[in-house]
Structure formats: C-alpha cells, structure tokens
Amino acid sequence: MRWSVTGWPTAIAVLVLAGLTLSPTAWGTESQISGILAGTWQHADGSHASSTSRYGEANGQLDVFLTLPMGPGSWQMEVKAGTTPRSDGISAMFPEANGLSGETLNAAGQGRGAITQFYYEANSGIGTISTGLLFAHNFLDTNPVADDEYRGFLATPFINNPTIALPIYVMGAAMQGAPAGSLGYTVFVSSTADLHENTYPNLFDFGGHGHGAFMAIEMNWRHGGLSGNVGAWRNNDDSYVNFSDGQPQADFGLYTNLNGRFGEGLHWNVRAGWADPRVSEANGYLGAELACDSHFRAGDVVHPVTYGLGFGNTWASPDMTGPSASRQHAEMYARAGITDGFTVTFDLQYLRHSGFRPDIASTWVEGIRMAVEF
C-alpha cells in the first residue's frame, strides 16, 4: 500500500485551508465538515488470481466533504485521498471487485490527494442548481440500497449501473427539482475532460483529444413505500469508437432503478440499463440487491448490523472484437457498528467472466473493510 509523494502535500495543504475557512468568523456557524476514512483488504481464489491476489491486497481511501455557506447558496467542496493500487493486485486483475480502489489517481496511476468536487449550489425558482467541478455519480443513478462503496456493497455493478458511460470528476452543471412533490427531475451537462488520472489543467482542455460532452436527464418518483428513477444519457467523447469500423461514435443509453422495502428493516433495489452495442462493451445490465438492518447485543450495548446481498448480470456487446462473455457478479456482506462512527464489514464476492473474458471462469473474492466516520 503506497501513497503518492506528490499527492500528499496537496492533500495536507487543502485540509489546512479547509480548516481555516471553516472558522466561524470566516463563514458563520452553519459551515459543516464530515468525512470517512476507509480501508479494505481483499483476497482472491481461482486459477486466474495472481500470487499477489492470493496473498491479499490492501487499499485505503479518505473522503472529506465541506459545506461553506455564502450568499444565497453554499460552496460544496470534496477532498479525496487514496493509496496506490498494486499493478498485479486484485484491483488490477478484477477491477469490478472494489469500487473504493483507485478513486483518486494521478497520470502515473499512483494514489494522491485531490479536490474532487468544488461547486456552488443554490436554489432557484425551479430547482437546485449546482455549477463547478462535479462528481457525476452523486447526481445520477442513485438509490438507497446499492450506491455507497464506503458503507454498502464494494462491487462496482452494485454502486453504479455499468452500462452508463459516466465521467468522473468534470466541469459541469446540474439542476434538480421536484415540482410535483413526489415527481422530480435531474438534468446534468458536463465536459468529459476528466480530472481522474489527469491534472487540473485537463479540466479546461475542452477541445483536447478524447474530450467531448456528457448529457443526461433523469425523472424520479416516490409513492408510498416505492421509489424509482429512469434516465437517458449521451456521451460524445471522441475516444468512443464504433467496434466495426473504428471510427469515433457517440455512446448513449437508458437506465432505471426501482426501490422498495418489506417492513421497516428490509430494503430492496432492482437496477437495469442498456447501452449502444456498437460502442459500449457493457450492452445491458440487470441486477437486484437486498439490505437488511438488524442489531446484536454485547452486554448492555446494542450494535447496529446491516446485511447485504446482491446479484447482477452484465451482457457483453455482440459487436465486440475478439471473444467475449457476459459477466456475472454476486456479493454478500455484513457491516457491524463497533463504536460510534467505527464499522467493520465482512465481504464475499463471486465473479464470473471478469472484464467480459470467457477464459476467466470463476473467482471468489473475500475481504474486509474498516471505516471511521467523523
């Protein structure tokens, strides 16, 4: 587990500045800061697991979020820092197994500290507008069961729909509103010039190679114990090419989530998506997840426990060159609250055809995640 030497001074400087700006004299008493520090360790079994994967790989990730009220709205800033994934570790061989690994990388693939979101948010007459450096995953394809790699599922298909060609940290704008109360909307528009594995000047290189625009519109609804969303998106980044002729072609698709609960403690989600098979390796997806809230008692202390179970199938595009196979993924976890703000999660995954490779028949990945929230 390694940290980027060049990234940590940046992260430390950002956190110091954040502490200064959070003083009541500068921003008022409504300023807020919250964060989570999470570490994972995973071990893989199977003929395609490297010796390093079998011995295990550790990764760490820090996420700090600040709210700084100013004028009619507030500045929202997120600072992340992460370790360097091993080049022959589980996160490299089976990237679908750990959504926490490699969230903040530099151009050399090393972990670093970085400001990953910095935007101004304000309410207008028709909704909330957010403008600046945005993390697209926070605005689109969200659900209350499978959407949080720090606390819930670790596998990437159970965090975001694998068919959506979402940019990561980009300059853009989002508008969200609920004019009908139980019926709402999200409109998201951004560049695809990404900070992930790049430097900050890349965010403003709108005409550079591999850059384009990402657009999405999502409708969400709630009725009784049910909720859901349905969205459409388009990504015209010129790094996307048609499988048949190799020419640049925009990618587009549709997605949906349906959420509900049985009683008070058992929550469920069904997630589905489709993308243009001429461009997208992930042509279709269908998955379902369950999360059950419970508790256990140790002496006089009651500890909260959440159990999770998820199954998903990602269909490979029939237009892909070379052999390919649809990917199956299953995950189960148990997260226990040990003390206030400290949780331990035991995780087990089954993965078949990682990376749509038919030669990877099956792999078991066992792991543990420890997290401290503040």
Side-chain angles (χ1 to χ4, degrees):
M1 184 167 64
R2 297 166 291 160
W3 295 94
S4 168
V5 175
T6 58
W8 267 111
T10 302
I12 293 172
V14 166
L15 291 175
V16 170
L17 289 172
L20 292 174
T21 56
L22 281 171
S23 65
T25 56
W27 294 96
T29 57
E30 294 183 0
S31 300
Q32 298 177 355
I33 180 170
S34 61
I36 184 168
L37 175 63
T40 61
W41 180 89
Q42 289 180 305
H43 170 277
D45 296 300
S47 60
H48 289 272
S50 70
S51 58
T52 302
S53 299
R54 289 171 179 167
Y55 286 121
E57 179 187 17
N59 284 288
Q61 190 72 33
L62 172 69
D63 189 348
V64 180
F65 202 88
L66 306 96
T67 299
L68 313 172
M70 178 180 282
S74 61
W75 286 99
Q76 309 287 327
M77 183 168 71
E78 182 181 51
V79 179
K80 286 186 177 182
T83 56
T84 302
R86 296 187 64 94
S87 60
D88 58 351
I90 292 174
S91 54
M93 298 193 66
F94 312 110
E96 307 94 340
N98 193 341
L100 270 177
S101 178
E103 280 198 338
T104 45
L105 300 179
N106 61 19
Q110 298 175 318
R112 63 172 173 175
I115 298 176
T116 52
Q117 290 194 93
F118 189 59
Y119 61 92
Y120 190 74
E121 183 177 272
N123 291 322
S124 67
I126 56 175
T128 301
I129 300 175
S130 305
T131 308
L133 176 58
L134 303 176
F135 184 41
H137 299 67
N138 286 355
F139 295 88
L140 302 168
D141 185 41
T142 61
N143 73 71
V145 179
D147 192 44
D148 187 353
E149 62 271 31
Y150 287 85
R151 302 170 183 85
F153 293 95
L154 271 174
T156 57
F158 306 133
I159 302 170
N160 281 107
N161 197 310
T163 63
I164 308 175
L166 279 172
I168 305 180
Y169 312 120
V170 288
M171 300 300 295
M175 178 177 287
Q176 297 174 296
S182 61
L183 182 64
Y185 69 90
T186 298
V187 178
F188 188 93
V189 180
S190 76
S191 164
T192 62
D194 209 317
L195 176 64
H196 187 62
E197 298 190 19
N198 271 302
T199 59
Y200 285 97
N202 186 66
L203 291 170
F204 304 96
D205 185 15
F206 302 121
H209 174 69
H211 297 168
F214 176 86
M215 296 162 284
I217 183 168
E218 178 181 295
M219 303 299 295
N220 55 76
W221 57 272
R222 183 178 300 275
H223 180 72
L226 295 176
S227 64
N229 54 50
V230 59
W233 59 270
R234 185 177 188 271
N235 190 326
N236 70 352
D237 190 309
D238 62 18
S239 65
Y240 290 102
V241 298
N242 189 296
F243 290 127
S244 61
D245 59 19
Q247 296 300 308
Q249 180 172 320
D251 197 3
F252 67 95
L254 305 169
Y255 65 90
T256 187
N257 282 278
L258 180 62
N259 318 298
R261 66 176 185 265
F262 300 109
E264 292 299 320
L266 184 59
H267 308 269
W268 57 267
N269 164 259
V270 176
R271 170 182 269 149
W274 174 90
D276 187 353
R278 298 171 298 174
V279 182
S280 178
E281 291 184 353
N283 177 205
Y285 177 75
L286 180 62
E289 304 87 27
L290 292 170
C292 179
D293 296 324
S294 185
H295 65 272
F296 72 94
R297 183 181 295 274
D300 295 330
V301 181
V302 177
H303 300 270
V305 181
T306 300
Y307 302 99
L309 179 63
F311 300 92
N313 187 85
T314 309
W315 282 272
S317 167
D319 297 341
M320 288 175 61
T321 56
S324 63
S326 296
R327 181 182 66 209
Q328 290 82 45
H329 211 137
E331 180 177 4
M332 56 189 297
Y333 73 84
R335 183 182 75 248
I338 307 303
T339 61
D340 187 22
F342 176 57
T343 59
V344 176
T345 304
F346 297 96
D347 187 80
L348 177 64
Q349 300 179 41
Y350 172 78
L351 177 59
R352 187 167 182 260
H353 299 153
S354 174
F356 304 114
R357 291 175 52 187
D359 58 316
I360 302 182
S362 62
T363 304
W364 289 93
V365 179
E366 312 93 28
I368 185 172
R369 175 183 58 209
M370 292 183 288
V372 178
E373 296 189 56
F374 52 90

